[in-house]
Amino acid sequence: MGITLDESIQKSPQRPLLHALVTAKGRTFHMPVFANQHRIDTLQPLRPTDVVVLTYPKSGTHLCSYIVKLLAQSRQTIMEDPMVLPFLELLPQAKIDAVPSNVVRYFKSHLPFELLPVTSQNKVVFCVRDPLDVCLSYYKFTKTLDILTGPVHLSFDEWFEDFVAGYVCYGDWFDFVLPYWQSPRPNILVISYEGILAEPEKNIIRVAEFLGFSTTTAEVAEIKEKIQFKNMKKELVAKGTDAAASIMRKGHQGEGRECLTPRQKRLFYEKFKKRMANTGIDLYSY
């Protein structure tokens, strides 16, 4: 019969907890230390005009944020940040509150839906990526930048078990993405990392229209060029962002499937089929 997903998780070694546990709305969340209980408890509701680019880690955060920034900065005064858009959960609340009311605030975030301080008036651009590519990219990220996981580095096999079990910072991938598929909302635009790479012009226009911006053919073409992987990485390096190599590694598609063993693929597909059964989403649709 072979080992089941639940049995595999139960047999995973209990490794030191390298992140914060946050309790909210009757649930416990695995969060990075900078988004601990105090930070989450002190997050204030966003202004109605605020915009959030939301992703699970390593799901096209920089790509999607850059599209939003390029569209917005030529039309509005926005908050500047060397990492394109500032991280909501990483900013002190006082700094957020200090932004003048006439400035449209654009943030990026990895906060789970239940912790995100938005209302139905806030526009949210939610970008999703093939979870197997996320798994590998997230692992590579933690090997070179330990802000989320601490200094202890796991083997990929250990990381995979923790990822499938949701024992990583920002928690279970399925818990994170399901609210957006199960309950579509007019103030939330769902796009995919793979979709942006395959049809950049189409998705740039989708984001622009969602934000209420009209675009020209020339502007779309310019943004398409700027969001090429090599150009984005070059910009980060030019701005002196030390973590550029970790934040933007390769940007490849399908690499996650290639590194998994047959057993790991079976375990993940088993969970995907179980958790995504009523969404109409298939793993091969990425």
Side-chain angles (χ1 to χ4, degrees):
M1 293 289 291
I3 190 170
T4 67
L5 174 66
D6 292 337
E7 289 171 341
S8 172
I9 293 172
Q10 290 169 7
K11 292 183 179 181
S12 296
Q14 293 299 306
R15 289 175 279 279
L17 190 65
L18 301 174
H19 40 264
L21 292 179
V22 172
T23 302
K25 300 183 180 179
R27 288 186 55 199
T28 299
F29 301 86
H30 292 266
M31 302 294 290
V33 293
F34 57 77
N36 56 26
Q37 189 73 58
H38 174 73
R39 181 67 192 103
I40 298 303
D41 289 344
T42 55
L43 272 175
Q44 298 300 307
L46 296 182
R47 298 171 185 167
T49 56
D50 290 341
V51 177
V52 179
V53 173
L54 182 65
T55 65
Y56 188 84
K58 309 310 297 177
S59 299
T61 311
H62 192 82
L63 174 63
C64 195
S65 297
Y66 199 29
I67 291 173
V68 170
K69 178 180 180 178
L70 291 171
L71 287 166
Q73 68 181 3
S74 62
R75 296 170 170 86
Q76 301 166 331
T77 301
I78 67 172
M79 297 172 64
E80 285 297 327
D81 187 271
M83 292 305 303
V84 182
L85 295 179
F87 259 114
L88 177 63
E89 56 265 37
L90 192 56
L91 287 176
Q93 188 62 46
K95 186 173 182 179
I96 296 175
D97 295 339
V99 179
S101 58
N102 65 320
V103 176
V104 178
R105 302 183 302 186
Y106 289 82
F107 304 101
K108 60 176 175 280
S109 178
H110 295 321
L111 288 177
F113 179 77
E114 295 88 343
L115 304 183
L116 197 64
V118 299
T119 70
S120 59
Q121 293 179 292
N122 294 114
K123 292 184 177 181
V124 177
V125 180
F126 178 62
C127 188
V128 66
R129 184 184 184 188
D130 182 332
L132 295 181
D133 285 345
V134 170
C135 179
L136 177 63
S137 185
Y138 202 173
Y139 171 69
K140 297 289 187 180
F141 177 77
T142 63
K143 293 283 284 184
T144 55
L145 190 67
D146 58 19
I147 188 172
L148 296 184
T149 60
V152 178
H153 293 155
L154 309 177
S155 69
F156 178 74
D157 289 344
E158 291 173 322
W159 169 266
F160 175 82
E161 299 290 344
D162 285 357
F163 181 83
V164 174
Y167 190 71
V168 295
C169 277
Y170 293 106
D172 183 85
W173 182 86
F174 296 94
D175 289 341
F176 194 98
V177 303
L178 274 170
Y180 302 94
W181 273 312
Q182 292 177 329
S183 303
R185 295 168 174 83
N187 66 310
I188 299 176
L189 174 67
V190 179
I191 60 176
S192 74
Y193 177 79
E194 292 77 14
I196 295 174
L197 296 185
E199 299 179 290
E201 297 97 335
K202 175 182 177 181
N203 283 280
I204 291 167
I205 293 171
R206 284 185 67 205
V207 173
E209 291 178 344
F210 175 72
L211 297 176
F213 302 146
S214 58
T215 56
T216 64
T217 302
E219 181 185 21
V220 172
E222 181 181 1
I223 293 176
K224 176 186 174 182
E225 180 63 22
K226 287 184 176 181
I227 66 171
Q228 296 297 310
F229 187 85
K230 63 179 181 180
N231 293 334
M232 290 194 297
K233 192 164 187 174
K234 182 178 179 180
E235 184 207 29
L236 281 182
V237 172
K239 287 187 174 182
T241 305
D242 295 335
S246 301
I247 295 162
M248 299 188 66
R249 191 176 60 89
K250 291 183 179 180
H252 291 172
Q253 294 175 249
E255 193 177 7
R257 301 166 195 261
E258 297 172 1
C259 73
L260 297 184
T261 66
R263 170 188 170 275
Q264 289 171 333
K265 288 180 181 179
R266 180 172 59 80
L267 289 175
F268 191 84
Y269 291 168
E270 178 185 327
K271 183 170 184 179
F272 191 98
K273 184 177 180 181
K274 179 179 179 181
R275 294 297 307 276
M276 307 296 281
N278 299 318
T279 65
I281 304 295
D282 186 271
L283 188 57
Y284 296 100
S285 63
Y286 288 99

